[in-house]
Amino acid sequence: MPIRKPAKRMGLEIDNLSIGGGVVLCLKNELLEVQFDATNGAIRKIIDCRNSKSILNNPLSEMYLLEYGTEYTKDFEAFRYSEKNGGVELRWKISTEIELVALWQLEGNSISTESHVNNCGKEKISSIEYPLLDGIVDLCDLYGNKKKELKNYVAHSYATGFLIENPLDNFGEEEGFRYMPYPESFSGASMQFFSYYCDAGVGLYFAAYDSKYHQKWLNFYKYKGKLRASQIYGYEDIGCGKGLNAPWKFVITLTDGDSWYESADLYKKWALQQSWCANKKINERDQKQRAAWLYEEIGACTFGMNGKHDRSKWIERYSKDIKRPIFHVLGPDWPKVNQNYYNSIPGGYDDWFPTRFHPKNLEAIQSSGDRFAPFEFDFLVAIDKSDSDLICNSLQKWPHKPKSKDEYKFTMLCPLCHYTKELHVSRDVRVVKESGCDALYYDISANNILKTCMSDEHGHPVGAGKEMTEAYREIYIQTKEKAENEKGQYVPIGTEMMNEVFLDCLDFYQARANAQPCSALETGMFRDLVKQGKAQIIPMFQYVYSGYSPLRLDGWGKLTKEGGDLIYHTIAKTYLWGGLFEINSEYSAMEAMEGVENSSEEHYSHFNPAGFAYDKSIVDYLSKYASLRTGRYNKFLAYGEMKHPPKFKTSKVWHSYYQYNISKNSLEQGDRGIILLDSIIAVRYEFGASELIILSNTTQFYQEIIWEEDQLQAEREYEVCLNYLSEESASKKMVGKELRKITFGPNQLIIVENNIL
């Protein structure tokens, strides 16, 4: 056991260890103790003082990993420490010219650090991974008496929110949430936090409180048989004599392990005070600063229907059966130069015009009261077509080995170049003018691109980091303003995926993860864990930013029975989590109407004929949720604040799926199987003085609920719609004890409204 020295100054204590003979520096209060190795600065222990348990036991002496040129180092020449501001300042002399400085402070149940690297030499430093929090323990082993009945979880803002159970068992060595770039939600972090917790009632919350868009990596992965959490920062301004700065606090907080919602609540308190939320909640903005039709009138969406070929038959049938206006993101095949998924994309301005939207599509959209946006690769360009020289001089230059699961093998325009800004605005103003589109959609855009450009010829710092994010923001804002001037009304803009730093610039986004394992692209690297029931998408982004967040288009759906009955769960989940269900036509034939399906020859990606018929029963189910979205409960789903859902137990049910809407050459093409999921999905929203609980039985079977808390007070009276089918479905007064006894019928949708004042 440590032998405490009596000396104590400004919160810093020095301990002699009777085991190992080392000396540690301690920051301690009644809740938390953090021990640093006095000889090298490694974090040796983090101790939960309430329970006298070490939740981090680090035997390694790896304090950081510095990247310079094409090399890395973890070595140092000298180490020293001093007391500062009630904490401890650690300094590593890495070389004669390079020094890492980190200030650690303890407050309540949180420990935080701010760090930077000084460089007065000729080395070009790219990044540093610091801190390295090694030896994070199996919390169930430590706190639980019966491990088999308890699970550990890691919740990360990857892909807008992802949860994995027992990461120590399910991560391979140096795998997991490794190299999670921010802001980059396709392969990395959409927000600046993650958490690790267990059912036994304890956890750790990790967050970077950076309000200025700096590029960073927020990582949680397996390392040398244990769990490691870390932060990487850099790639902002690389050059001789230039250091690295992280002017924010990286915080580690001891939590009660109350699911991922506890950490999301901690982050939300900080996040809603940042500049990206300064433009008020969406419903509080001036009518001229938002597209009310997008949030209030649209019941469903399509994605990827051919723009230049006649698809009016599908547009009209969807509209007739869904019975609500539909938002169509038409496929990429409409520019003058082919824009497809395999061998052709436009280059400069002249390659885009005249546009080639089929008039029957536009007529069908207008006559149905629908809306549309054209699909664009807005920064992805050809280098051998128009404006070739200008484009080649404006290309984003990728790092030699990007720190990401994505290799970014794209020819992308750097947003800091004048040509990029000019092309983006002028092109899209003309697209709005020629097509009459209601919105604009950008694929492979800022939300799924690493914010690094290594060019030393563009006039920006090498790396560019946050300056790239600021440039993307500027381009989106300018494009929207000029498009609005052209159309005479607000023109919403959407992208593939979403990050918090673009909340106030964008209006909607496409994602696909809600439909996994019958989906594609983001979360694909964890698909096997999803299929095994060991990982799942969670509504983390919606929970933190509901009321501020752009509208999510998700579901990756095909309205065919051959696709399996997982679609019923996906539809319900997508709407209850605040989104619109998406009928997707990117990689496969559309549903056969009267025996006719679209052909691969007319499409922008190659696929085999399917011959799967349009299934009216699925569409009727979808129509119910489209009505829920646009009807009397719209304000909750569109603008309400998502709260902790009610806690209850219910059975799990196997759902079938068949994956055929994916690249023809993908290893997942033709995969079919079953997945075990909760039979009932529940959410809770607040809007104004009212609270709404929605409970959806996503199965064809009768289901019961065992309530775990007094969410429905026994004698309190609620306004209840017992079986929502359409806007005409009636509601009645019921008390809580009656509601608790309800048995759910097949696909039953129950809405409970409550005045909370």
Side-chain angles (χ1 to χ4, degrees):
M1 295 291 291
I3 301 172
R4 179 75 61 192
K5 281 192 174 182
K8 179 179 178 181
R9 303 185 309 277
M10 298 178 65
L12 178 66
E13 298 179 359
I14 302 173
D15 292 358
N16 291 327
L17 293 177
S18 60
I19 299 175
V23 178
V24 296
L25 313 171
C26 291
L27 294 176
K28 182 179 180 180
N29 59 26
E30 68 277 7
L31 300 175
L32 203 61
E33 179 175 350
V34 184
Q35 297 181 1
F36 303 86
D37 192 313
T39 64
N40 61 21
I43 298 176
R44 290 293 178 216
K45 288 181 180 290
I46 297 179
I47 300 171
D48 170 8
C49 296
R50 297 172 300 179
N51 296 291
S52 300
K53 295 181 184 294
S54 296
I55 52 182
L56 181 149
N57 283 304
N58 177 19
L60 305 178
S61 291
E62 300 182 25
M63 287 67 69
Y64 57 82
L65 189 62
L66 184 77
E67 179 189 14
Y68 58 100
T70 59
E71 298 182 15
Y72 289 86
T73 186
K74 58 182 74 172
D75 300 328
F76 62 95
E77 295 179 357
F79 170 74
R80 59 192 174 97
Y81 63 87
S82 61
E83 299 173 21
K84 186 175 181 179
N85 298 337
V88 57
E89 184 178 77
L90 311 178
R91 290 177 175 266
W92 292 267
K93 181 181 178 183
I94 298 172
S95 69
T96 305
E97 297 86 12
I98 300 173
E99 181 184 44
L100 168 63
V101 182
L103 174 64
W104 286 87
Q105 294 175 301
L106 179 65
E107 182 178 354
N109 59 342
S110 296
I111 182 80
S112 67
T113 184
E114 292 184 64
S115 62
H116 63 273
V117 176
N118 298 320
N119 177 18
C120 60
K122 296 181 179 180
E123 292 289 359
K124 295 182 179 180
I125 301 172
S126 301
S127 72
I128 191 165
E129 188 167 11
Y130 183 82
L132 298 179
L133 299 163
D134 282 304
I136 298 172
V137 304
D138 182 320
L139 294 175
C140 288
D141 258 356
L142 187 64
Y143 287 84
N145 296 320
K146 299 178 181 178
K147 185 183 177 184
K148 290 183 179 179
E149 297 179 7
L150 299 173
K151 291 181 180 179
N152 297 306
Y153 299 91
V154 56
H156 199 283
S157 68
Y158 163 73
T160 71
F162 205 70
L163 182 72
I164 297 178
E165 67 180 46
N166 295 328
L168 198 56
D169 298 330
N170 291 317
F171 288 170
E173 181 65 16
E174 294 203 48
E175 293 183 353
F177 294 113
R178 180 56 168 146
Y179 294 129
M180 292 284 116
Y182 167 90
E184 203 279 62
S185 61
F186 183 89
S187 300
S190 59
M191 298 175 284
Q192 299 174 85
F193 81 103
F194 57 92
S195 65
Y196 171 60
Y197 62 93
C198 80
D199 292 333
V202 69
L204 289 169
Y205 160 77
F206 305 85
Y209 289 149
D210 169 28
S211 61
K212 300 298 183 182
Y213 320 131
H214 293 89
Q215 184 167 230
K216 61 184 67 67
W217 289 254
L218 300 167
N219 315 298
F220 189 85
Y221 57 102
K222 192 172 184 177
Y223 185 72
K224 295 188 177 180
K226 300 292 184 180
L227 293 172
R228 169 188 274 186
S230 76
Q231 172 187 241
I232 302 172
Y233 58 91
Y235 284 92
E236 295 282 355
D237 188 3
I238 301 169
C240 296
K242 295 183 177 180
L244 303 173
N245 290 300
W248 61 85
K249 286 189 175 184
F250 182 76
V251 177
I252 305 103
T253 300
L254 183 66
T255 70
D256 293 327
D258 185 15
S259 78
W260 62 267
Y261 289 100
E262 180 182 10
S263 290
D265 283 332
L266 290 173
Y267 188 73
K268 186 176 182 177
K269 290 178 182 178
W270 175 84
L272 297 188
Q273 305 303 313
Q274 305 313 306
S275 60
W276 47 80
C277 290
N279 192 25
K280 300 181 180 179
K281 291 185 176 181
I282 295 169
N283 68 301
E284 296 172 353
R285 298 172 193 168
D286 188 276
Q287 289 287 341
K288 295 180 180 180
Q289 294 181 314
R290 63 187 175 103
W293 61 265
L294 180 63
Y295 296 96
E296 299 173 14
E297 300 173 14
I298 300 298
C301 65
T302 72
F303 194 97
M305 276 196 296
N306 301 103
K308 74 172 183 177
H309 297 287
D310 182 7
R311 299 292 177 257
S312 58
K313 178 186 296 187
W314 285 268
I315 294 170
E316 290 166 355
R317 184 63 185 274
Y318 292 152
S319 178
K320 175 185 175 184
D321 292 345
I322 294 174
K323 302 182 181 68
R324 291 294 184 276
I326 298 171
F327 180 43
H328 304 277
V329 179
L330 297 181
D333 58 347
W334 53 268
K336 172 186 171 183
V337 169
N338 284 336
Q339 184 180 219
N340 62 40
Y341 285 6
Y342 53 91
N343 70 0
S344 181
I345 51 177
Y349 184 88
D350 291 341
D351 293 343
W352 294 84
F353 307 104
T355 58
R356 297 183 293 169
F357 294 98
H358 199 287
K360 287 190 176 180
N361 291 339
L362 302 187
E363 290 168 9
I365 289 169
Q366 185 174 16
S367 63
S368 298
D370 294 349
R371 307 277 188 150
F372 87 97
F375 175 117
E376 291 182 23
F377 293 123
D378 60 332
F379 295 106
L380 176 64
V381 289
I383 61 174
D384 58 351
K385 297 186 174 73
S386 68
D387 292 350
S388 177
D389 289 344
L390 288 168
I391 285 173
C392 288
N393 290 331
S394 304
L395 289 178
Q396 182 176 354
K397 184 177 180 181
W398 303 103
H400 175 61
K401 289 185 178 180
K403 291 177 173 56
S404 174
K405 292 292 184 182
D406 199 326
E407 296 180 351
Y408 306 105
K409 294 182 177 180
F410 307 119
T411 51
M412 303 288 294
L413 289 171
C414 173
L416 285 155
C417 292
H418 176 74
Y419 172 79
T420 304
K421 300 173 183 178
E422 187 177 69
L423 172 65
H424 201 282
V425 174
S426 61
R427 175 195 61 208
D428 291 353
V429 168
R430 184 167 172 183
V431 170
V432 170
K433 181 178 181 179
E434 281 197 16
S435 69
C437 63
D438 303 285
L440 294 163
Y441 171 80
Y442 304 134
D443 210 71
I444 312 182
S445 196
N447 282 300
N448 48 341
I449 289 297
L450 194 68
K451 309 305 184 290
T452 300
C453 181
M454 299 297 288
S455 174
D456 57 3
E457 299 177 351
H458 291 171
H460 60 67
V462 174
K466 77 181 187 69
E467 291 194 21
M468 287 190 70
T469 295
E470 291 168 344
Y472 281 124
R473 286 176 50 84
E474 179 186 351
I475 288 172
Y476 289 147
I477 291 169
Q478 288 186 3
T479 300
K480 188 183 293 189
E481 289 176 351
K482 298 297 184 182
E484 180 180 346
N485 291 340
E486 174 60 42
K487 193 170 180 66
Q489 64 186 55
Y490 187 88
V491 178
I493 287 178
T495 58
E496 182 181 5
M497 301 304 295
M498 182 54 57
N499 290 288
E500 63 187 2
V501 296
F502 299 114
L503 278 180
D504 54 336
C505 305
L506 300 172
D507 304 274
F508 65 96
Y509 67 104
Q510 191 225 17
R512 291 139 301 224
N514 281 2
Q516 282 287 19
C518 198
S519 182
L521 303 172
E522 80 270 11
T523 71
M525 65 181 178
F526 296 118
R527 186 169 182 266
D528 285 344
L529 290 177
V530 172
K531 291 165 67 173
Q532 297 168 44
K534 297 176 180 178
Q536 60 182 294
I537 191 77
I538 54 176
M540 181 183 277
F541 197 89
Q542 172 70 1
Y543 181 81
V544 172
Y545 287 116
S546 51
Y548 297 89
S549 175
L551 176 61
R552 184 182 183 110
L553 317 180
D554 204 332
W556 198 254
K558 310 295 289 190
L559 307 180
T560 67
K561 67 178 181 181
E562 288 82 359
D565 64 13
L566 175 62
I567 193 170
Y568 291 95
H569 189 276
T570 303
I571 289 171
K573 177 168 62 180
T574 300
Y575 282 100
L576 267 57
W577 289 358
L580 291 180
F581 184 76
E582 173 193 289
I583 306 165
N584 188 279
S585 304
E586 289 182 80
Y587 292 98
S588 60
M590 299 170 70
E591 304 86 1
M593 301 271 190
E594 301 172 358
V596 177
E597 67 180 16
N598 59 314
S599 69
S600 180
E601 287 73 22
E602 290 184 342
H603 205 55
Y604 48 85
S605 67
H606 299 307
F607 59 78
N608 293 323
F612 298 156
Y614 179 78
D615 190 315
K616 182 62 162 52
S617 62
I618 296 175
V619 183
D620 289 343
Y621 182 85
L622 171 57
S623 177
K624 174 171 70 174
Y625 284 88
S627 170
L628 176 70
R629 171 73 195 191
T630 61
R632 61 184 185 267
Y633 303 117
N634 165 262
K635 294 294 191 292
F636 292 94
L637 293 171
Y639 304 126
E641 181 181 0
M642 189 181 238
K643 309 295 285 187
H644 287 227
K647 291 183 179 180
F648 57 82
K649 291 181 180 178
T650 187
S651 64
K652 292 181 179 289
V653 173
W654 291 100
H655 290 272
S656 62
Y657 67 89
Y658 174 51
Q659 171 65 303
Y660 68 96
N661 184 34
I662 196 167
S663 173
K664 185 177 178 179
N665 299 319
S666 170
L667 295 175
E668 299 172 20
Q669 175 61 244
D671 176 46
R672 65 173 72 242
I674 54 176
I675 182 171
L676 190 64
L677 298 169
D678 288 334
S679 58
I680 294 176
I681 301 173
V683 294
R684 184 164 66 97
Y685 286 92
E686 286 184 8
F687 182 80
S690 295
E691 173 188 79
L692 198 73
I693 297 174
I694 309 176
L695 302 120
S696 170
N697 179 6
T698 65
T699 77
Q700 302 293 322
F701 309 104
Y702 287 90
Q703 302 291 345
E704 294 185 348
I705 279 180
I706 301 174
W707 293 88
E708 293 185 331
E709 60 179 22
D710 193 24
Q711 190 71 59
L712 296 173
Q713 298 174 33
E715 302 300 329
R716 191 180 183 108
E717 193 172 67
Y718 300 89
E719 189 73 25
V720 182
C721 180
L722 269 178
N723 190 20
Y724 187 93
L725 297 173
S726 70
E727 179 62 13
E728 288 71 40
S729 297
S731 59
K732 64 177 183 178
K733 303 288 186 182
M734 294 181 69
V735 294
K737 62 185 177 182
E738 294 178 282
L739 285 167
R740 286 172 170 269
K741 297 176 182 179
I742 288 175
T743 296
F744 285 71
N747 292 330
Q748 187 172 353
L749 180 60
I750 297 178
I751 319 292
V752 181
E753 191 169 1
N754 177 35
N755 190 310
I756 57 178
L757 292 183

